Amino acid sequence: MTKRSTSPFAPGQIAVHVALAAGAIFMLLPFWLMIRAALTPEAEIFSGNMLTLGTVTLDNFRRVFAEVPILRYYFNGIFVVVAIFIGQVIVCVPAAYALARLHFSGRELSLWIVLGALMIPYQVTAIPVYVILAQFGLIDTRSALILPFVANAFGVFLLRQFFLAIPGSVFEAARLDGAGAFHTLFSVVLPMARPALVTFGIFSFVSHWNDYFWPSFVLRSDAAATVPFGIVRFLDAELGSDYGPQMAAATLSVLPLLVGFLLAQRQFINGIAMSAGQVE
Amino acid sequence: MMPDGKTTAPPARRSAPEVTLAGLGKTYRGAARPTFTDLSLTCPAGRITVIVGPSGCGKTTLLRCVCGLEDTSAGTIRFGERDVTKVDAERRGVAMVFQNYALYPDKTVAGNIGFPLRMARMPKPDIERRVAAAARLVRIEDYLGRRPSELSGGQRQRVGIARAIVRGPDVLMMDEPLSNLDTKLRAEMRAELGALQRQIGATTIYVTHDQTEALTLADHLVVMRGGVIEQQGSPEDVFLAPRNTFVADFMGRMNLIEGKTADGRLTTGDGAEARLDGYPAGREVVLGFRPEEVALGPAAEGGLTVSAPIERRELLGTEVLVTLRLGERLLRVRVPVGTPLDGTITVSVPPRHLHFFGADGGRIDFAAEALPRRQVSSR
């Protein structure tokens, strides 16, 4: 925070900070309750002060690791999320580049189709997609979790907007420097698009890591289960109303996102601001 | 594209081709009118051809057609004997310097300059040598590790120039390369660019709207308006004998007076009059002269004499730019500081500095019309 001429004790400032603090408590309290329950012995969860830690124990985590194949869920989750993102980059970057920079008949129409796809929630197409996956015998595999999300209208649109903001002369310079479409894309455009890719990557990672609907729709067993689906399945079957292990499992499912965010914080903010790759 | 890809010396010229445009036409898709039609032009080998004109005259489109960024609708483009009309931009081997630099923001200066060589798959040590040589040539060698965002405008354009010359291109395009720089830097870079071009000897096509750049840099000067070449030739010829009123006005801002010659006089449509000795009477003409080419006092032997009230004065330094009112027309003349400037002033223009144009705007050469004692200036 830089110092402004307004006093920090001005009534307006105080009101703003009270509102922000209330919002922060509202958003952080559930996390606190989750972590507290995860670290508290089963018997003490509903006794004592909810806002302070009593006896700290890792027993709940031990139970989760012992009874739930959580490492498999982690592996599946990471595999699925990474595969989806790689697929999305392979599909969306060239598509966005074509829509932003190449001239071909049907470009306008293609753009409208992308925009249209953007407006359709994927639950609407869930059944047809399920039928297709079933025809290919992919139900209850990791492919069923990956393939439907590889072509992503949001990604195409976001990247297209970013490519449009790059001055045309940069593309022309690359052409005159002897770079074909492929080299222009990979040697010039992709490095510039890093902030946009990071932003998109975060959206993609978070939504697919947390997704519960789609795995519950196409998976039968927990062989290909991702973390949320696997945990919920297991909780239902084994842990019933044991809140300690439940909260420990929930903590474990958000942990990778938290770590990821802390590592990529700067990139993330740059990506939201989307200014890092711009030419003046 | 890279006939001598193995050479390590800074690009030293050998074989720059003549660039010939024949019957070139360009109509943008969906445009009502062509940008230009049937345009023919020869750019001398190894020299700078400057295309100058007001914005929207088609000069940048012409440049983009020559380097292949735009398709042409008609005509041919040749580099020497080679017909490149249908050759794709990336294979035409043309290098370009852009007005907005068009650097790759995420690459270092060295990465920017070396990019064309990397695309040509030159071995790494050769790339490094040539990048260093090109950077030295434009005096940017101390900044090779920086990114474009850490450089000033002038430094960025130096990088842009180095990237263009690093391959040793035979044909070099410059699209208003100095327009984004401030005045002082522009004058410096202009001089450097001229010297640099002579050093590398590439056939250069330089587009600008700035008449000073055009006159100082051009070996061959082309003045365009509305998709038409109004005049081309050496900068001296164009400046000293503009072919029509447009060129006269655009290159050197001539004063233009429409009127009719009578015996010893020029009368304008609005009733004003000036003395004009030694020209045939009864002709509708546009008379032109430059603000710098007037003398104080009436003409001694022939020429134009104007006596008119002073409308405005602007101090330029050692000279004063005075605006006179002749009828409804404003004329600009430059006189030395210290000239008494109150009320009315009398100035004259000697015959060698007078230019005559017909009612259609085309140049009239009275000397060629059997008036042997008149020498219309053409040095």
Side-chain angles (χ1 to χ4, degrees):
Chain A
M1 271 283 166
T2 49
K3 274 204 171 146
R4 297 275 163 82
S5 51
T6 6
S7 153
F9 300 109
Q13 287 289 306
I14 292 174
V16 165
H17 281 94
V18 167
L20 288 175
I25 290 170
F26 189 74
M27 281 184 263
L28 291 177
L29 196 60
F31 279 95
W32 168 250
L33 292 179
M34 175 181 82
I35 291 166
R36 178 188 173 272
L39 292 172
T40 307
E42 192 70 45
E44 292 176 30
I45 287 178
F46 292 106
S47 62
N49 191 341
M50 287 283 190
L51 297 180
T52 56
L53 267 180
T55 334
V56 174
T57 172
L58 291 177
D59 278 347
N60 294 323
F61 289 94
R62 276 188 211 107
R63 244 188 102 190
V64 171
F65 276 104
E67 295 178 25
V68 182
I70 187 133
L71 290 178
R72 181 164 80 223
Y73 300 159
Y74 268 134
F75 173 79
N76 284 337
I78 291 168
F79 184 92
V80 165
V81 160
V82 169
I84 287 177
F85 184 62
I86 291 173
Q88 283 173 334
V89 169
I90 292 171
V91 172
C92 297
V93 168
Y97 178 67
L99 287 174
R101 286 292 161 193
L102 302 184
H103 299 274
F104 55 92
S105 51
R107 184 170 80 157
E108 284 290 296
L109 181 68
S110 314
L111 186 61
W112 279 108
I113 291 173
V114 169
L115 283 174
L118 205 57
M119 290 170 212
I120 299 172
Y122 79 92
Q123 285 83 350
V124 171
T125 53
I127 290 169
V129 171
Y130 182 94
V131 171
I132 295 171
L133 290 172
Q135 295 287 331
F136 282 95
L138 294 174
I139 294 303
D140 204 22
T141 64
R142 286 195 288 258
S143 302
L145 299 178
I146 296 165
L147 292 177
F149 302 104
V150 161
N152 181 293
F154 173 69
V156 172
F157 191 71
L158 180 87
L159 290 170
R160 172 188 175 267
Q161 295 309 102
F162 185 83
F163 292 164
L164 282 181
I166 301 175
S169 58
V170 171
F171 294 92
E172 290 168 353
R175 243 178 107 190
L176 293 177
D177 285 345
F182 179 82
H183 273 121
T184 306
L185 192 53
F186 282 89
S187 308
V188 177
V189 175
L190 263 194
M192 288 177 79
R194 204 181 301 128
L197 282 178
V198 169
T199 308
F200 175 57
I202 287 169
F203 283 121
S204 169
F205 272 89
V206 171
S207 63
H208 294 298
W209 179 268
N210 284 339
D211 194 14
Y212 179 73
F213 170 81
W214 191 253
S216 69
F217 196 63
V218 295
L219 298 187
R220 291 284 160 275
S221 67
D222 72 345
T226 55
V227 178
F229 178 70
I231 286 179
V232 170
R233 230 176 98 82
F234 223 86
L235 293 185
D236 288 347
E238 308 282 324
L239 298 172
S241 58
D242 295 350
Y243 290 107
Q246 275 188 17
M247 289 302 124
T251 307
L252 287 172
S253 81
V254 297
L255 209 56
L257 294 181
L258 218 64
V259 172
F261 178 76
L262 289 178
L263 290 179
Q265 204 173 12
R266 237 182 68 113
Q267 286 272 30
F268 183 64
I269 289 163
N270 278 348
I272 296 287
M274 279 258 219
S275 59
Q278 303 282 334
V279 185
E280 271 173 47
Chain B
M1 200 164 29
M2 284 295 311
D4 61 345
K6 290 286 181 282
T7 49
T8 55
R13 189 54 323 105
R14 29 312 95 205
S15 60
E18 184 175 81
V19 174
T20 318
L21 317 181
L24 215 58
K26 171 69 184 174
T27 309
Y28 279 104
R29 211 173 354 155
R33 293 187 311 117
T35 308
F36 48 77
T37 52
D38 198 23
L39 202 140
S40 296
L41 174 63
T42 301
C43 308
R47 299 306 181 86
I48 302 187
T49 300
V50 174
I51 304 175
V52 66
S55 55
C57 72
K59 58 187 191 294
T60 294
T61 303
L62 181 62
L63 190 78
R64 293 169 59 83
C65 287
V66 176
C67 63
L69 291 174
E70 298 284 351
D71 298 331
T72 51
S73 316
T76 56
I77 303 167
R78 282 174 193 284
F79 293 173
E81 294 302 303
R82 181 171 160 233
D83 184 341
V84 297
T85 317
K86 298 289 174 218
V87 177
D88 197 75
E90 67 208 63
R91 305 191 182 286
R92 228 175 257 201
V94 171
M96 178 136 153
V97 179
F98 292 83
Q99 178 177 355
N100 65 356
Y101 324 129
L103 301 179
Y104 310 124
D106 56 286
K107 296 194 199 314
T108 60
V109 168
N112 267 280
I113 300 175
F115 186 73
L117 305 180
R118 268 180 52 212
M119 290 300 110
R121 304 193 186 290
M122 188 181 279
K124 237 192 176 127
D126 290 351
I127 292 183
E128 278 168 22
R129 262 197 299 279
R130 292 186 66 150
V131 166
R136 249 196 322 279
L137 220 48
V138 297
R139 300 197 280 123
I140 197 81
E141 67 268 32
D142 295 337
Y143 301 93
L144 285 176
R146 303 254 189 115
R147 277 170 213 282
S149 56
E150 300 166 302
L151 301 178
S152 71
Q155 291 167 334
R156 287 182 203 186
Q157 195 55 294
R158 286 170 194 275
V159 178
I161 295 166
R163 182 180 63 184
I165 63 175
V166 71
R167 272 187 301 179
D170 294 331
V171 181
L172 183 58
M173 304 277 154
M174 301 210 181
D175 185 9
E176 310 220 11
L178 306 181
S179 297
N180 283 12
L181 305 179
D182 63 55
T183 320
K184 182 165 169 286
L185 196 57
R186 203 181 304 165
E188 284 172 31
M189 293 276 288
R190 193 170 65 214
E192 281 185 40
L193 266 185
L196 183 67
Q197 193 279 336
R198 277 189 294 282
Q199 202 171 340
I200 64 172
T203 304
T204 304
I205 304 181
Y206 187 109
V207 158
T208 182
H209 62 262
D210 182 305
Q211 58 138 319
T212 317
E213 271 173 40
L215 288 172
T216 49
L217 284 173
D219 293 310
H220 184 73
L221 182 60
V222 179
V223 184
M224 271 184 84
R225 173 177 61 163
V228 175
I229 294 178
E230 295 285 356
Q231 186 170 6
Q232 55 175 311
S234 75
E236 292 84 2
D237 286 351
V238 173
F239 191 76
L240 296 176
R243 231 185 62 185
N244 55 40
T245 50
F246 171 77
V247 178
D249 177 48
F250 193 75
M251 300 303 295
R253 300 208 53 201
M254 258 189 207
N255 293 297
L256 295 169
I257 310 171
E258 289 164 48
K260 192 167 180 181
T261 58
D263 190 29
R265 280 174 299 135
L266 176 79
T267 55
T268 64
D270 49 32
E273 238 181 51
R275 223 178 85 207
L276 181 67
D277 291 324
Y279 293 92
R283 299 281 294 264
E284 297 283 349
V285 296
V286 178
L287 186 154
F289 63 93
R290 293 204 165 86
E292 301 79 13
E293 290 164 343
V294 300
L296 289 168
E301 33 164 329
L304 175 78
T305 305
V306 177
S307 289
I310 293 173
E311 186 86 6
R312 212 166 42 235
R313 277 168 289 188
E314 291 156 76
L315 181 64
L316 298 179
T318 55
E319 287 183 314
V320 181
L321 180 66
V322 179
T323 307
L324 309 178
R325 176 173 287 282
L326 182 68
E328 287 168 10
R329 185 169 293 96
L330 295 176
L331 304 175
R332 285 159 292 115
V333 302
R334 288 167 84 146
V335 298
V337 166
T339 310
L341 296 171
D342 32 58
T344 319
I345 189 175
T346 301
V347 294
S348 57
V349 186
R352 68 175 189 282
H353 288 318
L354 285 178
H355 304 260
F356 289 88
F357 306 95
D360 60 350
R363 187 177 187 83
I364 303 175
D365 195 347
F366 284 120
E369 291 183 15
L371 263 172
R373 64 200 182 88
R374 288 281 73 87
Q375 288 287 312
V376 174
S377 58
S378 66
R379 201 183 63 181

